[in-house]
Amino acid sequence: MINWTRVIQLRDEVGASEFGEVVQIFFDEVQEAIERLNNDTARRDLEQNLHFLKGSALSLGFDRFSRLCQDGERNAAAGNPAEVDLPAILTAYDESRRAFQAELTANLA
């Protein structure tokens, strides 16, 4: 679910002192994108929002969430936005976030 090698790499890139801020920005920006998804009932911006979420997820090692966003992005780009399983994507994010928060200290030790 979480690619801890990527998380450690990011922490090393930004520095341990800045890592917490980067993580908080990630959570804030993802929450904003999720709100856009929830408000976009016509799914006009689905592809762009999923693209953003995919990239954000990759940067913080949320592998499963990223893969689901990528699959959804491809469906939206192919003109099949109704085939995007948004509830599954959002559930994957929630599960990934919980796992990340619960396991962060142990994996960065």
Side-chain angles (χ1 to χ4, degrees):
M1 183 172 294
I2 304 295
N3 178 343
W4 289 106
T5 301
R6 175 61 192 134
V7 175
I8 292 166
Q9 180 184 26
L10 177 63
R11 183 205 52 198
D12 292 347
E13 288 171 1
V14 301
S17 62
E18 301 294 321
F19 182 70
E21 183 177 341
V22 169
V23 170
Q24 188 58 53
I25 290 169
F26 166 81
F27 287 138
D28 291 345
E29 290 181 349
V30 168
Q31 189 58 46
E32 289 173 12
I34 288 172
E35 288 173 18
R36 287 192 304 270
L37 282 173
N38 288 328
N39 292 329
D40 184 20
T41 56
R43 295 191 171 195
R44 287 188 190 105
D45 298 321
L46 182 62
E47 180 183 353
Q48 295 84 348
N49 285 317
L50 290 173
H51 178 79
F52 172 79
L53 288 171
K54 174 189 71 178
S56 296
L58 282 173
S59 71
L60 199 57
F62 281 41
D63 282 355
R64 181 169 167 249
F65 176 55
S66 175
R67 282 192 306 273
L68 290 173
C69 289
Q70 182 176 30
D71 292 345
E73 179 187 7
R74 286 180 181 155
N75 275 326
N80 302 312
E83 293 182 21
V84 175
D85 189 351
L86 209 47
I89 292 170
L90 299 178
T91 297
Y93 172 69
D94 288 338
E95 291 171 353
S96 297
R97 181 179 177 148
R98 281 194 301 274
F100 179 86
Q101 291 173 321
E103 301 167 12
L104 181 62
T105 302
N107 281 288
L108 292 184

